[in-house]
Amino acid sequence: MRSIARRSGGVLSQCAVAIVAAIAMAGCSVPEGGPDAPSTTAPAASPPSSTPWEPQIPDPTVAVNVVPAQMGDCPVDPAAHGLVAFVVTSDDDTTPVAVTYPVFRADGSRHVRRMTQPGPVIAVLQTDCTDGVVSSPWEFRATADSGGSLSCTLTYGGKRVVSDSDFVEGDLDPGLEVDCTGHPGM
């Protein structure tokens, strides 16, 4: 069985509805004796702990592979209006993901680069230091040869331009492909 959600956000919408429903239901309980019976017991307080609780926060640098800029690329400026982020997520950190993306060059040109590396998160961060005229779509794509899931999101200046996802259940058709080709204004 193959499920594909293309640019419509249908899967995201379904997930959002499921999460909201789960949160809403978590706060609801039916008192003993039926739905109309009043509750007569106070909730039990948990005993104080002698050891402070510290959340386990994963190190994001272990899971995120940031693609480095090369000499001649526009320098990444987080304060710039034209910050471009292309993020690909996959199921694991062993499956190779082939990524194709344009690079903005300081001389005003764009070049297409291709590279392959494992996930689970691959991020391409750039600043568009060209003249700002977008005459053709920016081609951002990712593929993986094995099943599971793959998704991508392209943002420009903090706004989502396009996103895509692909999912394969089982080994019926193990190839995955996502396409986040687009540019601001399209």
Side-chain angles (χ1 to χ4, degrees):
M1 176 180 178
R2 182 176 177 104
S3 301
I4 299 176
R6 297 273 186 208
R7 293 187 185 91
S8 66
V11 171
L12 294 175
S13 298
Q14 291 172 2
C15 289
V17 170
I19 290 169
V20 170
I23 291 171
M25 294 304 293
C28 299
S29 61
V30 178
E32 288 184 33
D36 297 325
S39 176
T40 58
T41 59
S46 57
S49 173
S50 60
T51 58
W53 177 78
E54 292 187 29
Q56 298 296 316
I57 300 173
D59 182 359
T61 60
V62 174
V64 179
N65 297 311
V66 179
V67 177
Q70 295 180 14
M71 187 169 296
D73 293 352
C74 295
V76 176
D77 181 4
H81 174 69
L83 188 63
V84 178
F86 175 54
V87 179
V88 177
T89 57
S90 64
D91 276 341
D92 57 53
D93 63 353
T94 58
T95 304
V97 177
V99 180
T100 301
Y101 60 99
V103 177
F104 303 98
R105 304 283 294 177
D107 65 6
S109 64
R110 281 195 328 232
H111 295 277
V112 175
R113 288 204 182 121
R114 291 172 180 81
M115 50 81 72
T116 301
Q117 73 180 56
V121 180
I122 301 167
V124 177
L125 301 174
Q126 303 178 55
T127 301
D128 180 5
C129 67
T130 62
D131 63 8
V133 176
V134 180
S135 59
S136 62
W138 299 336
E139 296 182 29
F140 290 93
R141 293 186 175 93
T143 60
D145 289 336
S146 62
S149 63
L150 191 65
S151 67
C152 66
T153 300
L154 172 63
T155 64
Y156 177 75
K159 297 179 180 104
R160 184 177 66 87
V161 176
V162 66
S163 61
D164 191 15
S165 64
D166 194 2
F167 172 76
V168 175
E169 187 175 305
D171 291 331
L172 298 175
D173 183 8
L176 298 170
E177 181 177 343
V178 291
D179 187 352
C180 281
T181 296
H183 63 70
M186 278 188 78

